[in-house]
Amino acid sequence: MICVSVLWCWDQCQTSTAVLFSLPREFLQNTILRGGPDNIFVRAEKGQLTLTQMVSQFEAECQKSATNEGFSLPAQFSIQKLFKQLSTALKVNQPLLNAAMKLRNHGFATCMLTNNWVDDSAQREQTAQMLSSLSGHFDLIVESCRVGMRKPEPSIYSYTLDKLQTKPQDAIYLDDIGANLKVARNMGMATIWVRDTSKALKELQTLSGVELLNPEEMLPSFCCPDDVSHGFVSIKPGVKTHYVEKGNGPPVLLCHGFPECWYSWRYQIPALADAGFRVLALDIKGYGESTAPPDIEEYSQEQICKELVTFMDKMVNMLFWV
């Protein structure tokens, strides 16, 4: 429940579509349900269909349903536009994300378990950016379309618990769909039905024993060495610079001071990556895993700056923001 309820977004989109095209209120939902337990949404959420394939097939099923019900869909009817509207409506529930971050800071293993599909639409970059920005705040993200299982199938809960190395009785599960909660509860997990964020946070606070409702400033998320890519650049014979990298976009080069290493930027790296930058944080020569030549002349400001230019030239042929 880190994003605004998909169920709520779908209901809003379904309502607006019905009003816009003068359709029966439950037309879209009934069309889905006629597909049975293996309908196109289920297959998409298991990775058997991509989003564009699902949209195309759903469009055809809507046309068939309209014919069977004795009316024609207007020419401007578009399932593709509906899903674009649904994508736009999805927003991060910041209070719940803050709570997940705080729990993680207190030693809880956190996971985002989501029913989703392989997005190959024109909006795929937006979807990828959201997942990328959220991934740094959780120990694990389980996507139904990647593992071939979906909520409320017990197998996906078992898979997630195994990945987290957690027993059901030690887990707290939040969702806004009753059927998903019922299975988790039957497996032994404590469950919270997210209808109102404040009430859900109060329940989560009680179950976890961690203060989640006071307005104290949240510590920013930080990256561990395993959360970033590591590499080396050969500056000259016998001298290599170690760096870490995270994110995509315009590059940002982070240079630490004395007597530190790239890890001093651990709080800034995730924030800059989430903001759409390619972050490069290096160990200055003589520090961390970079080469430490014995000659004192190697550490003059002029020599260090020259080697930073060499590093940048070798990394990318584009403007760096320093």
Side-chain angles (χ1 to χ4, degrees):
M1 280 312 305
I2 296 304
C3 291
V4 172
S5 170
V6 175
L7 192 64
W8 180 85
C9 291
W10 170 256
D11 188 65
Q12 296 298 305
C13 292
Q14 180 176 238
T15 300
S16 63
T17 299
V19 171
L20 182 62
F21 299 115
S22 301
L23 301 175
R25 171 67 179 80
E26 302 294 330
F27 173 74
L28 296 177
Q29 189 66 25
N30 290 339
T31 299
I32 295 170
L33 294 176
R34 288 191 189 99
D38 194 34
N39 61 64
I40 56 172
F41 273 70
V42 170
R43 284 183 281 140
E45 288 177 346
K46 288 188 173 185
Q48 298 167 5
L49 297 173
T50 66
L51 177 57
T52 55
Q53 290 171 330
M54 178 179 69
V55 166
S56 176
Q57 292 187 28
F58 191 31
E59 189 101 41
E61 290 187 9
C62 285
Q63 295 287 350
K64 183 178 179 181
S65 290
T67 300
N68 291 340
E69 292 184 29
F71 64 91
S72 298
L73 293 175
Q76 66 270 31
F77 177 82
S78 172
I79 291 298
Q80 183 177 355
K81 290 181 180 178
L82 170 65
F83 275 87
K84 184 177 180 180
Q85 181 184 355
L86 180 64
S87 176
T88 303
L90 286 175
K91 304 294 181 183
V92 172
N93 186 324
Q94 196 61 50
L96 281 179
L97 178 58
N98 289 344
M101 292 165 59
K102 193 165 187 180
L103 289 170
R104 194 182 186 200
N105 288 339
H106 278 75
F108 284 76
T110 58
C111 172
M112 186 173 78
L113 172 58
T114 176
N115 281 354
N116 65 352
W117 39 70
V118 177
D119 191 345
D120 58 344
S121 70
Q123 287 75 48
R124 60 185 178 274
E125 184 175 351
Q126 178 183 337
T127 303
Q129 286 178 349
M130 176 176 284
L131 279 173
S132 177
S133 65
L134 289 172
S135 64
H137 302 304
F138 293 88
D139 296 290
L140 177 68
I141 290 185
V142 176
E143 302 176 70
S144 65
C145 66
R146 307 294 178 187
V147 299
M149 301 172 279
R150 64 185 291 275
K151 300 180 290 184
E153 296 171 357
S155 56
I156 197 168
Y157 298 101
S158 297
Y159 172 88
T160 303
L161 291 169
D162 287 344
K163 285 289 185 180
L164 290 170
Q165 298 182 332
T166 301
K167 297 177 181 178
Q169 58 267 29
D170 296 327
I172 305 171
Y173 178 72
L174 294 82
D175 208 306
D176 67 325
I177 298 178
N180 296 343
L181 291 162
K182 181 179 180 181
V183 173
R185 189 164 51 250
N186 289 342
M187 293 178 69
M189 288 182 261
T191 60
I192 297 174
W193 189 8
V194 183
R195 293 162 290 178
D196 176 89
T197 298
S198 296
K199 291 180 180 178
L201 287 175
K202 188 174 182 180
E203 290 184 56
L204 184 57
Q205 178 175 279
T206 300
L207 288 171
S208 67
V210 175
E211 175 62 56
L212 300 173
L213 294 174
N214 77 34
E216 69 181 33
E217 185 176 351
M218 285 288 299
L219 284 174
S221 62
F222 63 92
C223 62
C224 297
D226 291 340
D227 298 331
V228 291
S229 300
H230 294 252
F232 290 87
V233 169
S234 179
I235 302 300
K236 62 183 181 181
V239 176
K240 289 185 177 180
T241 294
H242 169 253
Y243 70 93
V244 301
E245 180 175 0
K246 187 177 180 66
N248 296 288
V252 177
L253 180 65
L254 302 178
C255 304
H256 64 80
F258 172 86
E260 300 174 329
C261 67
W262 74 265
Y263 194 61
S264 59
W265 296 106
R266 62 191 178 278
Y267 289 103
Q268 289 80 12
I269 291 171
L272 288 168
D274 289 349
F277 293 95
R278 178 188 179 192
V279 186
L280 298 162
L282 48 76
D283 287 331
I284 298 294
K285 185 168 63 176
Y287 298 92
E289 296 183 51
S290 292
T291 306
D295 298 331
I296 194 170
E297 293 81 8
E298 290 282 344
Y299 300 96
S300 70
Q301 289 298 315
E302 182 179 1
Q303 186 63 27
I304 294 292
C305 289
K306 284 181 179 179
E307 293 181 5
L308 286 176
V309 172
T310 301
F311 175 85
M312 292 188 285
D313 286 342
K314 290 196 173 186
M315 282 300 296
V316 287
N317 295 316
M318 63 185 292
L319 176 67
F320 267 80
W321 295 13
V322 182

